[in-house]
Amino acid sequence: MDMDQGPVKLAPSILAADFARLGEQVAEAEQAGADRIHVDVMDGHFVPNLSMGAVVVQALRRVTRLPLETHLMISAPDFFLEEFIEAGADSLLVHWEGNNNLHRTVHRVKALGKRVGVVINPATPAAVLEEILQDVEQVLVMTVNPGFGHQHFLHTTLPKVRRVRQMIERVKPGCDLEVDGGIDATTAPLVVAAGANVLVAGTAIFDDGHDIPAAMQRLRVAIS
Ligand code: DX5
Ligand code: ZN
């Protein structure tokens, strides 16, 4: 797409980092030009896996100046918004799925003074965003089913990324369009061409056999 979305941003997902050296790895990603840090929160219920909670955000807050975005893959996000914000989260990404009161959740985050984004899973159509888009700063389109890192990119999500980009240009220009799951040097150009302007990458940054700066450079070259 040809709209001016500014430079594409990279959001390393720490799910693929070496947790024994988490602070160091995040500092390395920051030095290598990461734009924000993506923190995947899983409760073993909304998704079939457990990951990390607000203590990790709190610990990272001391080692990086980058915005910390928390991707809440949890069944009852409303109970945890304050906790993540107090820990130092700058933006909260909440799923459309399973939230009967999404508008309330979104407005609570805004009332707490933080950036808010809505996330949709691979089987969820872009159309569900129509009425909430004007209220959010960001949309996250999952390009894998949430719950695990190291999964294969679902190519069937590409037309949806294009549809969300068109909706954003119509309803909320300036809203970030982020993608998450299976993003690497091969798939990054595809999602950028479809209109994504923020790329989450776990494996491709922390676990691709290169050091972190080289891995990030590979992604940047792929989309340049
Ligand atoms: C998946 C998470 C992703 C994940 C991406 O449930 O939301 O953020 O860490 O990892 P990769 O880049 O390895 O697919
Ligand atoms: Zn994520």
Side-chain angles (χ1 to χ4, degrees), residues 6 9 16 29 44 52 66 72 75 92 101 105 131 139 144-145 162-164 168 173 195 203 215 219:
K9 299 184 182 109
M52 56 196 111
L66 291 178
L72 299 179
S75 291
L92 299 186
N101 297 286
T105 307
E131 307 303 329
V139 170
V144 299
N145 287 297
R162 280 194 287 274
R163 279 195 286 279
V164 174
I168 286 174
T203 308
L219 280 176

Side-chain angles (χ1 to χ4, degrees), residues 8-221:
V8 173
K9 299 184 182 109
L10 292 183
S13 160
I14 60 167
L15 195 60
D18 175 355
F19 283 7
R21 300 174 47 236
L22 189 54
E24 265 170 61
Q25 295 213 320
V26 166
E28 260 187 70
E30 177 168 3
Q31 272 173 8
D35 295 283
R36 50 181 87 162
I37 298 295
H38 183 88
V39 180
D40 286 305
V41 179
M42 305 179 185
D43 67 354
H45 181 77
F46 184 81
V47 289
N49 195 11
L50 287 167
S51 61
M52 56 196 111
V55 288
V56 174
V57 173
Q58 195 179 21
L60 289 180
R61 191 64 293 164
R62 295 196 296 268
V63 303
T64 182
R65 292 182 179 190
L66 291 178
L68 297 172
E69 71 174 16
T70 52
H71 176 189
L72 299 179
M73 289 164 273
I74 61 180
S75 291
D78 288 13
F79 291 129
F80 294 95
L81 301 175
E82 274 97 345
E83 189 177 332
F84 279 99
I85 289 170
E86 275 162 27
D90 299 283
S91 60
L92 299 186
L93 309 180
V94 294
H95 274 259
W96 177 86
E97 296 82 11
N99 193 331
N100 293 327
N101 297 286
L102 183 62
H103 182 274
R104 177 181 291 144
T105 307
V106 162
H107 283 272
R108 280 192 52 204
V109 176
K110 289 164 86 87
L112 292 165
K114 299 299 170 187
R115 286 184 95 242
V116 62
V118 169
V119 190
I120 55 173
N121 279 344
T124 303
V128 303
L129 298 170
E130 182 79 36
E131 307 303 329
I132 196 71
L133 187 53
Q134 59 203 316
D135 296 336
V136 301
E137 277 90 39
Q138 184 165 339
V139 170
L140 171 52
V141 174
M142 291 308 299
T143 44
V144 299
N145 287 297
F148 302 91
H150 310 278
Q151 298 185 83
H152 289 298
F153 179 83
L154 296 171
H155 286 262
T156 48
T157 59
L158 280 172
K160 179 164 64 176
V161 174
R162 280 194 287 274
R163 279 195 286 279
V164 174
R165 170 51 65 190
Q166 283 162 1
M167 199 188 295
I168 286 174
E169 296 307 319
R170 176 165 55 81
V171 176
K172 186 76 186 272
C175 179
D176 274 336
L177 173 46
E178 184 174 50
V179 288
D180 184 6
I183 303 299
D184 59 21
T186 307
T187 55
L190 307 177
V191 287
V192 169
N197 73 310
V198 186
L199 311 184
V200 176
T203 308
I205 288 178
F206 291 110
D207 199 15
D208 85 329
H210 296 75
D211 57 29
I212 292 167
M216 287 179 52
Q217 184 58 19
R218 241 162 79 90
L219 280 176
R220 290 203 186 282
V221 167

